Amino acid sequence: MRIAIVGNGKMGQAVAALAERRGHVIHTMIGGAENHGGRALTAERLAGADVAVEFTRPEAVVANLERLIEAGVPTVTGTTAWLQELPRIAALVERRRGALLHAANFSVGVHLFLRAAQDLARRFAGHSGFDAFILEEHHATKPDAPSGTARELQARTQSADPARPFPITSVRAGATPGTHLVAYDGPSERVTLLHEARSREGFAAGALAAAEWLPGHRGVHTVEDMLFGAGG
Ligand SMILES: NC(=O)c1ccc[n+]([C@@H]2O[C@H](COP(=O)([O-])OP(=O)(O)OC[C@H]3O[C@@H](n4cnc5c(N)ncnc54)[C@H](OP(=O)(O)O)[C@@H]3O)[C@@H](O)[C@H]2O)c1
């Protein structure tokens, strides 16, 4: 496949390196300096790209998605903290009969972890002797907090046990690619469910798998649609 990479940062570079190792062609790589407001995402620059993979910043992603969808390029985005704009982007995808896959986290394990956390929350419902909390840690340069994955974890645990608060604490320090945990702390015991990403490779592999899957799947998808199927 010919892949347009939008965002030349840690994730854009990880996806590009993995894609080349797997025999894909990097059609173009578009960095921040040349692309204010998505202006580098022209039909000419994108002509011949089978799919785009977008990893930029919360303040840049929406303009990029608009331009990519208008240009008719199936687009995978892993950028976080923009989902308040999803209804507008989804309407554009529908209007243009386009394809978009978005995920705050592309690792396979984290999606199994989210499901396990929801199940655990259901089992703890009604056991009032425990306080629950969510802790997430990321490298010092991650711009947004809490992480998209932590928000999703909170939404799922709260939907399973609406009576219990699940406050999030975020740590931004060092180089960790991403750690999330949910814990239930009681007077004499603690139950902890933990997901630790060891490197960006897992995110890059998931984003690339999404890029391989997306062309031909019209509409707006999450990574769970790809991993577990529509009814999954
Ligand atoms: N879904 C997942 O699995 C996953 C995994 C890791 C990270 N993320 C998210 O992905 C995003 C990027 O993460 P990262 O670690 O790659 O961050 P990063 O290393 O800071 O890279 C972001 C890059 O985006 C570029 N950029 C900014 N505006 C742009 C624009 N309009 N067009 C093109 N490029 C633009 C920046 O370039 P300049 O420096 O030149 O502005 C920078 O190189 C973040 O939102 C992060 O939370 C998601």
Side-chain angles (χ1 to χ4, degrees), residues 9-229:
K10 291 182 282 296
M11 280 308 302
Q13 290 181 31
V15 172
L18 187 63
E20 284 183 327
R21 285 207 296 281
R22 295 234 187 120
H24 296 297
V25 173
I26 303 308
H27 179 76
T28 185
M29 190 134 185
I30 296 170
E34 59 173 324
N35 191 39
H36 288 296
R39 68 182 176 208
L41 301 173
T42 60
E44 297 71 34
R45 183 89 178 255
L46 295 168
D50 299 306
V51 66
V53 177
E54 204 271 2
F55 278 94
T56 62
R57 293 191 200 282
E59 64 277 13
V61 53
V62 174
N64 288 338
L65 296 183
E66 284 171 345
R67 301 290 294 244
L68 290 161
I69 292 158
E70 289 288 0
V73 183
T75 298
V76 170
T77 182
T79 306
T80 49
W82 65 275
L83 283 186
Q84 68 284 359
E85 298 287 339
L86 182 60
R88 196 161 63 74
I89 295 296
L92 179 63
V93 171
E94 167 102 337
R95 226 167 32 247
R96 302 290 302 174
R97 299 167 67 80
L100 173 71
L101 188 149
H102 65 89
N105 195 312
F106 275 109
S107 90
V108 173
V110 101
H111 293 282
L112 296 169
F113 162 81
L114 287 169
R115 288 178 171 220
Q118 193 163 1
D119 185 50
L120 190 64
R122 215 172 280 128
R123 289 171 194 272
F124 265 94
H127 294 281
S128 58
F130 292 86
D131 284 338
F133 64 90
I134 291 170
L135 177 64
E136 60 102 344
E137 297 177 20
H138 283 84
H139 53 91
T141 62
K142 182 171 172 61
D144 54 311
S147 68
T149 304
R151 290 175 203 264
E152 181 63 25
L153 180 57
Q154 186 184 54
R156 297 225 192 165
T157 48
Q158 236 150 30
S159 78
D161 185 2
R164 195 189 300 278
F166 290 87
I168 301 174
T169 300
S170 300
V171 175
R172 294 287 172 270
T176 182
T179 297
H180 294 87
L181 73 80
V182 57
Y184 295 82
D185 198 77
S188 54
E189 57 186 333
R190 173 181 284 194
V191 175
T192 303
L193 192 64
L194 169 70
H195 179 272
E196 264 179 302
R198 287 209 195 90
S199 73
R200 287 187 181 83
E201 281 285 297
F203 303 135
L208 192 57
E212 289 165 347
W213 178 86
L214 186 61
H217 288 89
R218 205 180 282 158
V220 176
H221 307 276
T222 66
V223 71
E224 288 199 82
D225 299 335
M226 179 185 83
L227 291 173
F228 307 121

